[in-house]
Amino acid sequence: MKRKCISLLMLIFAYSISESHAYADDSSFRHAFPQPIILIDAGHGGIDGGTSYDDILEKDINLEIGRRLYIILRSHGYETILNRTGDYALSDDNRWLRNRSRHIRDLAQRKQLSEELPSEIVVSLHVNWGKNKSKRGPILLHQTEGRSAFLAASIQNSLNNLYGTSSLPQIGKPFYLLNHVDCPAVIVETGFLSNTEDRDLLKSKRGQQKIAEAIYGGIVQYFTAI
Ligand SMILES: [Zn+2]
């Protein structure tokens, strides 16, 4: 899978050098090659609600933002897949891994999906929680690999503009998804459910749309630059 990703990128790179950089901004350029697939991972689901505040559940926010991001990307011609479209646990689909931990089966299923599809990037959506209620804003987590770091920086920058923050992306060392997915992958901690200001944005339809648009802006910046 890794080799497939790299060879596709090298092909695009070689093409842009041998022909003209002008093609890089032309939407027909993207159609000259098999369309890269953007995999959106809507974190948690089903029995696994993620973090919560009263009856506001992280899994629902992730799904709402994921759906909106999916629609925006598709309407701009990007091949996109949302790995869950309803409220269920991905571990239920995993009948191939014998592991007593539902959590591990869930994470392994997310990784498996990214391998079965020729995904170019994986964007995993989550919501944060802090003991310190004043902690707020988006945080991007990335792999040690350069493209993942660049994708994280692009989305972080775009979300910082929305939130009025200046947070920096971080390497997400302990995260299963980042350690096991071969393509560039990032975890988007969209905001803190424990913070009043962030919560207002995360739970409202208007806020969810703005967050999805900001993530989209970061993804576009990534694909324009690489
Ligand atoms: Zn989460």
Side-chain angles (χ1 to χ4, degrees):
M1 190 61 222
K2 197 171 205 170
R3 210 176 303 139
K4 223 188 283 173
C5 284
I6 291 169
S7 55
L8 177 65
L9 283 169
M10 282 178 72
L11 195 63
I12 293 172
F13 185 59
Y15 184 85
S16 62
I17 286 177
S18 64
E19 295 296 318
S20 159
H21 283 286
Y23 285 100
D25 289 324
D26 184 345
S27 63
S28 64
F29 173 78
R30 280 195 284 113
H31 299 289
F33 296 99
Q35 278 272 55
I37 293 176
I38 298 167
L39 178 61
I40 304 170
D41 171 36
H44 309 280
I47 194 170
D48 174 13
T51 192
S52 63
Y53 183 92
D54 292 338
D55 58 349
I56 307 166
L57 303 177
E58 177 191 352
K59 64 175 182 179
D60 297 331
I61 296 173
N62 296 337
L63 183 58
E64 276 307 314
I65 295 173
R67 273 187 188 140
R68 288 161 192 274
L69 179 59
Y70 172 85
I71 291 168
I72 299 168
L73 283 164
R74 292 294 281 229
S75 67
H76 285 88
Y78 288 90
E79 287 290 329
T80 311
I81 287 173
L82 182 60
N83 68 359
R84 73 175 169 93
T85 51
D87 182 21
Y88 49 86
L90 292 192
S91 55
D92 295 344
D93 295 336
N94 187 341
R95 309 201 188 283
W96 50 272
L97 183 69
R98 283 168 180 262
N99 192 304
R100 286 174 66 187
S101 163
R102 188 209 55 77
H103 186 56
I104 291 293
R105 291 198 309 277
D106 182 277
L107 292 170
Q109 184 67 11
R110 290 169 200 272
K111 167 198 181 298
Q112 179 75 6
L113 269 174
S114 77
E115 286 181 354
E116 283 175 3
L117 306 163
S119 29
E120 178 99 347
I121 60 167
V122 177
V123 178
S124 180
L125 302 173
H126 286 264
V127 173
N128 229 332
W129 178 271
K131 271 187 195 161
N132 179 351
K133 303 279 180 286
S134 65
K135 221 172 176 181
R136 64 175 294 263
I139 295 175
L140 266 287
L141 301 166
H142 60 85
Q143 299 153 317
T144 50
E145 194 259 359
R147 289 168 303 164
S148 166
F150 179 57
L151 176 62
S154 303
I155 299 175
Q156 180 79 65
N157 192 36
S158 190
L159 281 169
N160 276 343
N161 286 340
L162 172 66
Y163 278 79
T165 48
S166 51
S167 315
L168 293 170
Q170 301 167 11
I171 294 181
K173 273 204 178 128
F175 291 90
Y176 182 99
L177 194 83
L178 297 180
N179 289 330
H180 290 84
V181 170
D182 287 332
C183 285
V186 292
I187 291 175
V188 188
E189 295 281 4
T190 45
F192 283 82
L193 203 52
S194 42
N195 175 271
T196 317
E197 213 177 321
D198 278 13
R199 191 165 57 245
D200 286 345
L201 199 65
L202 290 163
K203 71 179 185 189
S204 74
K205 302 246 173 283
R206 199 163 159 264
Q208 290 161 355
Q209 182 67 23
K210 281 185 174 178
I211 291 167
E213 283 168 8
I215 296 170
Y216 166 73
I219 292 173
V220 169
Q221 200 198 331
Y222 170 82
F223 279 119
T224 308
I226 65 160

